[in-house]
Amino acid sequence: MNGMKCIICCTMASSSMEVDNVLSEQKVLPPKPKFEPLKPHEMPGAAVQFRKVSVPPHRYTPLKKVWMDIYTPVFEQMKIDIRMNLKGRKVELKTRHDTPDISNLQKCADFVHAFMLGFDVIDAIAILRLDELYVESFEIKDVKTLRGDHLSRAIGRLSGKGGKTKFTIENASKTRIVIADTKIHILGSFANIKIARDSLCYLIMGSPAGKVYSKLRAVTSRMAERF
Amino acid sequence: MANTNDAGVEALRRLQQIDPPSLLAPNPSVSETARSASQYLFTTLRPFSPKSPLDELLVDGYDAEQIWHQIDLQSQPLLSTLRRRLNQFVKNPEEIAQFKVPLDVGKKLEKKKRVELEEEESDDFDEELDDDDDDFEGVEKKKAKGGSEGEDDFEEEDDEDEEGSEDEDDEEDEKEKVKGGGIEDKFLKIDELTEYLEKEEDNYEKGEERDEADEDSEEDDELEKAGEFEMDDEDDDDDDEEDEEAEDMGNVRYEDFFGGKNEKGSKRKDQLLEVSGDEDDMESTKQKKRTASTYEKQREKIQSKIVLMEKANIEPKTWTMQGEVTASKRPINSAFEVDLDFEHNVRPTPVITEEVTASIEEMIQKKIVEGLFNDVQRAPKLPSKAPREVKQLDDNKSGQGLADLYEQEYVQKTDPTSAPLSFKDELKNEASTLFKKICLKLDALSHFNFAPKPVIEDMSFQTNVPALAMEEIAPVAVSDAAMLAPEEVFDGKGDVKEEAELTQAERKRRRANKKRKFKAEAVNKLEKKARLEKKADNAISCQVDGNFFIYPYMSNAALTSHLLLNLSHMFIFYYQPHFVKNIKQLLFQLLLYSEFLNAVSLLHKLDLCCLLKQRAEDHVC
């Protein structure tokens, strides 16, 4: 009976205490906590993260030439450590302690990879600057199985005389295209990649350049009107 | 007489020798011979025809018809007498025997008779009748010999015809002999003939006119016909007449002479010659026709026509009358013979001749010269809506990087006013600038309507040179106006105040500054002067900086003039080209500061220098 009484008393006491607490809480709320995004080295995984981009032999010399153009924005603006492993023919990227965002590393890796695919530094730099730029790669044989002379002719059709057709597509769709033998890489925003890809597919399948131009014109005018 | 006789005989002979086809065409010589022959015959027959009014045949200037009538006048009574005689001979054959006793006489008589017959026949000749002559002769002979019995002499007809033709060819004597041999048959007896003839003569006088009329008409009709029909007809006619006469006489009937139709038919079959058979039928039919009236004749004609037409209708029509006829249904190449008429839907191809080509070429040349090509002008399409600006695709490598591209796009999106120049706009600009440059150059050349260079808002450094120097190509005069505005020229700083505005302290400050400057400058000047004089003394390699002069002389005109004078001395001896430019500038400055006097003196000095220089050069040369 006594125990019971005590409990009741306790409960009554606690409830009264709770009431008091509630009242106090209603009056003063602590401010919402603002959490900065985690820096890479603060993340629960490994503190430092790496990316390794292998250098194909034909891009070795160009890389040597434009190394500083690559190094500077990566190191300074992106705050990613970058180095060239000569023995392994790889470009290695590493986060620093003051790297602001984990996505920087990925962006830099994409940037370097784009350069390795064949894009120019000034074009590949856009990856660092803009968020939504992608590189799409596909092969000619994905579109249409061509052999021998037909394949060569298709590649010729894609480029055009002096690269005319390729530049036209690039300018019209605001993308950059790299035709590496049978592989095709397109760098740009999603919608623009689609436009460029469609034009290139038409060319692979055999449409004459004039026809592709007219289609391009129509599409780009529509896109321009939208804005 | 003998001469005329001979002439006549000759004429006859000639007539006989004439080819029958040649008689078809009228021939004056033949007519002459015929006329003479007929005259001769007429005269020879004259003694045998006591009742004829004419003594001789009148031929000169007489028509064939008239000559015929004359002959007829003579021959009609002759014929009747001959017939009578024949009848007599028929009844009394003994007379013929008497006739025949002196063979020569008989022959001669026969000959005479034949000759008479021939003469008659020849008299009866019409110049226009050719084919009938032979037959007619034969017929006449038959008349003389056969008379009413001529119907039975079908066989003899042919023989007589042949003999008739033979007679013409052969001589008369030979003819007689042949005839004598041929005519005498079981049916025909000459003696009977003569008897009959005499009998008939008596009858003749009674029905002379009637006979003549009938004979004339019948003979006229029969003259037009050809062939043996005529002979038959005449025989029939004769028989009919004789029948008519027989009525007077009594018992003579058709059947006595011709033995009826049925008998004739049977006789026909017995006889060998088919021709004679035909003649029998024809004779029977013609007997009927003879009795028919004109109406019946007409009807018969129509009937024959009807028969023909019915026959045609029953038979299948010719291919031209049938409807659609293919090549297999008509004989080969029959379409060539028929003149087919059908519509040609196609225009006939033009025949290209030289004239046609020449005319075409002429037309072409004319059109080329005029320039009228009749070109089809395209109808101007009215613009229904404004022409949409076609986006030009640039096929050059873009100079901007991808990042710049996207940057531009972003800017465009956010700030629509700042529209970057499109490819087309750049081209436009380029073109417009080029054009303006060219226009400027052209205007400068022409100089009258010169417009100054367009002010391009660029950041450019402008020097303080008189404006005209920049703008005018050929400066006519030197102007005061400087390119730079006074405030641009102004080198000072701070607020500029006039003396009246100054406060005491400021005045004092200014004075103090002035003093300080002056002292500094004075020191500098002294130093420079010393240096200059040193250089002037050296005088050989003086590389004097042009600008050196300007600074001091801008501030103190008097000093400038003084130095200039000194300069001029130097200049006289040591003419150096880079002085000139500086001197020019100096002059301008002097003029600026209205130091005309000094400027003028300097100019003079310069002129002098030049002169002297030239002289020095001349001396050197």
Side-chain angles (χ1 to χ4, degrees):
Chain A
M1 244 179 67
N2 287 339
M4 289 272 280
K5 271 191 185 171
C6 291
I7 291 163
I8 292 161
C9 290
C10 287
T11 53
M12 275 178 70
S14 63
S15 64
S16 65
M17 272 171 69
E18 280 174 18
V19 167
D20 290 339
N21 284 339
V22 163
L23 280 166
S24 63
E25 277 170 11
Q26 271 176 353
K27 285 170 192 172
V28 177
L29 283 170
K32 246 188 194 173
K34 268 190 193 172
F35 298 116
E36 297 286 333
L38 279 174
K39 290 196 183 146
H41 65 272
E42 290 164 1
M43 280 168 83
V48 180
Q49 295 190 14
F50 293 94
R51 291 278 187 277
K52 288 186 181 140
V53 182
S54 61
V55 183
H58 66 277
R59 291 307 271 169
Y60 194 69
T61 321
L63 178 66
K64 279 211 281 191
K65 280 201 195 130
V66 295
W67 173 252
M68 286 316 293
D69 294 332
I70 294 169
Y71 176 85
T72 317
V74 168
F75 191 80
E76 252 125 68
Q77 268 120 49
M78 292 279 138
K79 300 196 176 28
I80 299 280
D81 280 344
I82 179 169
R83 74 169 185 196
M84 175 71 187
N85 184 348
L86 288 164
K87 198 166 165 203
R89 300 287 173 98
K90 282 195 206 318
V91 173
E92 289 164 2
L93 299 148
K94 185 174 81 97
T95 56
R96 286 210 300 257
H97 65 278
D98 59 349
T99 310
D101 199 9
I102 192 64
S103 61
N104 282 11
L105 179 66
Q106 189 54 49
K107 274 197 195 172
C108 292
D110 285 341
F111 162 61
V112 176
H113 181 65
F115 178 80
M116 297 311 159
L117 286 176
F119 291 100
D120 239 355
V121 181
I122 41 174
D123 298 329
I125 281 272
I127 294 174
L128 294 180
R129 291 178 66 178
L130 294 162
D131 265 347
E132 301 292 323
L133 287 191
Y134 305 105
V135 175
E136 170 153 343
S137 312
F138 63 97
E139 287 197 51
I140 290 175
K141 69 179 182 201
D142 296 340
V143 181
K144 187 171 183 181
T145 318
L146 297 166
R147 276 184 278 270
D149 274 354
H150 302 297
L151 183 63
S152 316
R153 259 185 254 117
I155 296 167
R157 256 202 311 281
L158 287 171
S159 331
K161 202 167 194 173
K164 208 162 51 121
T165 316
K166 192 180 80 128
F167 292 140
T168 313
I169 298 171
E170 280 182 2
N171 292 331
S173 64
K174 294 202 189 69
T175 56
R176 290 290 174 266
I177 299 169
V178 164
I179 300 173
D181 203 15
T182 52
K183 292 193 179 60
I184 300 166
H185 311 286
I186 309 172
L187 166 68
S189 67
F190 182 75
N192 293 338
I193 280 176
K194 186 177 184 305
I195 295 165
R197 188 182 63 228
D198 287 345
S199 310
L200 289 168
C201 287
Y202 284 132
L203 283 170
I204 290 166
M205 297 224 274
S207 290
K211 218 169 189 180
V212 173
Y213 285 6
S214 53
K215 284 196 184 124
L216 262 180
R217 228 180 268 126
V219 170
T220 48
S221 59
R222 245 186 292 133
M223 294 249 309
E225 276 170 27
R226 234 183 279 162
F227 304 115
Chain B
M1 283 299 287
N3 286 333
T4 51
N5 285 347
D6 291 336
V9 169
E10 253 214 65
L12 270 172
R13 209 177 288 140
R14 255 184 279 137
L15 270 175
Q16 283 158 8
Q17 283 166 1
I18 283 170
D19 222 8
S22 65
L23 291 167
L24 279 163
N27 201 338
S29 61
V30 169
S31 72
E32 280 296 319
T33 47
R35 280 173 200 233
S36 54
S38 41
Q39 259 186 325
Y40 166 66
L41 289 169
F42 196 88
T43 46
T44 47
L45 281 169
R46 180 72 186 77
F48 298 99
S49 56
K51 290 169 189 168
S52 71
L54 300 163
D55 286 335
E56 71 167 9
L57 187 67
L58 306 163
V59 285
D60 298 327
Y62 278 93
D63 209 9
E65 281 290 314
Q66 289 163 340
I67 294 166
W68 161 250
H69 275 300
Q70 289 174 44
I71 291 164
D72 213 25
L73 271 173
Q74 191 200 52
S75 61
Q76 291 302 328
L78 254 179
L79 283 169
S80 50
T81 36
L82 284 169
R83 273 196 213 97
R84 252 186 286 117
R85 289 283 290 164
L86 273 171
N87 286 335
Q88 279 178 0
F89 284 138
V90 164
K91 286 182 179 172
N92 309 321
E94 309 87 41
E95 287 184 28
I96 295 169
Q98 285 173 7
F99 204 60
K100 262 190 175 179
V101 164
L103 271 171
D104 297 334
V105 175
K107 280 187 182 177
K108 278 178 187 171
L109 279 168
E110 285 176 347
K111 182 185 169 185
K112 269 189 186 173
K113 285 203 173 168
R114 282 192 196 118
V115 168
E116 285 173 5
L117 281 169
E118 286 173 353
E119 287 169 2
E120 280 182 324
E121 287 159 10
S122 66
D123 288 340
D124 293 333
F125 273 167
D126 236 8
E127 293 160 6
E128 292 143 16
L129 294 174
D130 302 314
D131 297 329
D132 306 330
D133 286 341
D134 296 339
D135 298 327
F136 203 74
E137 258 187 297
V139 166
E140 291 297 316
K141 285 165 196 164
K142 223 178 71 187
K143 273 188 193 171
K145 290 144 197 172
S148 57
E149 293 176 350
E151 282 298 325
D152 302 332
D153 301 339
F154 300 111
E155 291 172 346
E156 290 167 355
E157 280 175 16
D158 290 329
D159 299 333
E160 282 172 1
D161 286 333
E162 288 167 19
E163 285 161 13
S165 59
E166 283 171 16
D167 285 337
E168 285 187 345
D169 296 330
D170 304 337
E171 291 178 9
E172 293 171 8
D173 296 330
E174 291 174 4
K175 285 179 198 173
E176 277 180 59
K177 284 176 189 171
V178 171
K179 270 197 178 177
I183 288 166
E184 287 275 322
D185 216 344
K186 62 175 177 175
F187 296 113
L188 178 62
K189 305 271 188 289
I190 304 290
D191 301 334
E192 287 174 8
L193 248 177
T194 48
E195 277 180 15
Y196 180 74
L197 275 171
E198 281 169 7
K199 201 171 117 186
E200 284 300 310
E201 230 181 42
D202 302 332
N203 289 332
Y204 176 72
E205 291 176 270
K206 288 180 187 177
E208 201 183 0
E209 288 177 12
R210 239 191 305 157
D211 289 340
E212 277 184 353
D214 289 335
E215 276 178 31
D216 281 336
S217 63
E218 283 152 12
E219 275 175 13
D220 284 330
D221 289 331
E222 285 142 21
L223 276 170
E224 295 166 0
K225 293 179 195 171
E228 295 155 351
F229 297 156
E230 291 166 31
M231 295 188 289
D232 297 333
D233 285 334
E234 284 165 14
D235 285 332
D236 292 339
D237 292 337
D238 288 338
D239 291 332
D240 284 336
E241 291 161 17
E242 287 162 353
D243 284 337
E244 287 172 358
E245 291 170 8
E247 284 176 6
D248 296 329
M249 285 162 67
N251 303 320
V252 181
R253 294 264 182 264
Y254 170 84
E255 289 82 7
D256 295 334
F257 297 107
F258 298 101
K261 294 170 206 171
N262 296 329
E263 289 179 17
K264 250 210 277 178
S266 62
K267 274 189 187 173
R268 271 282 177 210
K269 284 167 189 174
D270 294 334
Q271 288 166 8
L272 299 169
L273 291 170
E274 293 172 15
V275 181
S276 50
D278 291 333
E279 289 162 14
D280 262 333
D281 287 330
M282 283 167 211
E283 281 180 334
S284 63
T285 50
K286 266 152 198 174
Q287 216 176 12
K288 285 177 198 166
K289 275 188 189 172
R290 209 155 31 98
T291 52
S293 63
T294 48
Y295 168 69
E296 282 185 358
K297 278 184 205 165
Q298 245 183 353
R299 239 190 64 197
E300 284 206 16
K301 273 187 203 167
I302 289 164
Q303 288 281 358
S304 63
K305 271 188 196 168
I306 287 166
V307 165
L308 274 170
M309 287 169 81
E310 279 177 354
K311 205 166 141 192
N313 276 349
I314 289 160
E315 279 173 5
K317 294 184 184 171
T318 56
W319 71 269
T320 49
M321 286 295 131
Q322 286 171 356
E324 286 184 4
V325 177
T326 58
S328 54
K329 288 186 185 132
R330 57 177 168 81
I332 295 171
N333 292 340
S334 54
F336 285 127
E337 286 125 35
V338 177
D339 186 22
L340 297 168
D341 182 27
F342 52 90
E343 276 183 18
H344 299 263
N345 288 332
V346 184
R347 225 183 268 170
T349 55
V351 176
I352 305 292
T353 59
E354 273 189 46
E355 292 162 1
V356 170
T357 43
S359 69
I360 289 167
E361 280 172 7
E362 210 183 284
M363 189 172 73
I364 290 166
Q365 280 167 5
K366 199 173 89 168
K367 290 215 169 180
I368 289 167
V369 165
E370 287 174 14
L372 290 171
F373 297 119
N374 292 342
D375 286 336
V376 176
Q377 302 280 344
R378 188 172 273 277
K381 203 169 72 173
L382 293 170
S384 56
K385 50 186 177 180
R388 250 198 313 168
E389 200 178 287
V390 181
K391 188 180 155 94
Q392 292 283 341
L393 292 173
D394 183 19
D395 59 0
N396 300 316
K397 191 181 165 86
S398 69
Q400 299 175 323
L402 200 61
D404 300 328
L405 216 64
Y406 280 110
E407 187 187 323
Q408 260 179 23
E409 210 184 300
Y410 178 76
V411 165
Q412 209 178 4
K413 259 199 277 182
T414 52
D415 188 14
T417 53
S418 65
L421 290 172
S422 68
F423 177 59
K424 208 171 89 171
D425 291 341
E426 282 169 14
L427 282 175
K428 264 191 194 170
N429 283 349
E430 197 187 324
S432 62
T433 47
L434 280 169
F435 183 62
K436 276 174 189 170
K437 272 188 195 169
I438 288 167
C439 281
L440 181 82
K441 284 181 184 169
L442 289 170
D443 289 340
L445 284 171
S446 63
H447 202 66
F448 284 129
N449 299 318
F450 181 71
K453 217 185 212 177
V455 178
I456 300 163
E457 281 160 19
D458 271 351
M459 217 161 72
S460 63
F461 297 100
Q462 297 215 345
T463 53
N464 190 17
V465 174
L468 267 176
M470 298 291 264
E471 288 177 358
E472 260 192 35
I473 305 294
V476 181
V478 179
S479 78
D480 314 321
M483 277 292 275
L484 295 171
E487 58 266 25
E488 289 166 339
V489 173
F490 180 61
D491 207 13
K493 42 184 158 173
D495 196 15
V496 179
K497 275 185 177 176
E498 280 233 347
E499 284 207 21
E501 297 170 352
L502 290 170
T503 57
Q504 188 70 19
E506 282 177 4
R507 259 194 221 111
K508 277 190 175 176
R509 207 181 294 128
R510 276 199 181 189
R511 191 174 156 73
N513 284 338
K514 206 172 162 187
K515 268 183 165 180
R516 244 179 274 133
K517 273 185 196 171
F518 181 72
K519 279 177 187 170
E521 275 177 22
V523 169
N524 282 340
K525 271 179 200 170
L526 282 164
E527 285 174 9
K528 279 180 186 175
K529 218 176 177 181
R531 258 190 283 145
L532 254 176
E533 278 170 354
K534 256 196 211 169
K535 278 186 183 175
D537 296 333
N538 293 335
I540 293 166
S541 55
C542 276
Q543 297 284 330
V544 181
D545 191 13
N547 292 331
F548 166 76
F549 292 101
I550 293 168
Y551 288 120
Y553 301 147
M554 269 169 73
S555 53
N556 196 333
L559 267 168
T560 322
S561 56
H562 181 70
L563 274 167
L564 274 171
L565 280 164
N566 292 332
L567 240 180
S568 62
H569 286 296
M570 263 169 37
F571 191 75
I572 290 164
F573 297 114
Y574 309 106
Y575 176 80
Q576 295 197 0
H578 54 266
F579 270 74
V580 179
K581 183 174 144 204
N582 298 323
I583 286 161
K584 257 198 200 166
Q585 281 182 334
L586 275 165
L587 271 168
F588 291 140
Q589 293 296 331
L590 283 169
L591 288 165
L592 246 172
Y593 292 106
S594 320
E595 292 283 333
F596 293 109
L597 200 70
N598 289 329
V600 164
S601 65
L602 182 62
L603 278 166
H604 278 304
K605 285 252 163 57
L606 279 169
D607 284 337
L608 261 172
C609 296
C610 294
L611 272 167
L612 284 167
K613 179 70 182 168
Q614 275 175 0
R615 276 185 200 165
E617 281 174 359
D618 290 336
H619 279 301
V620 167
C621 292

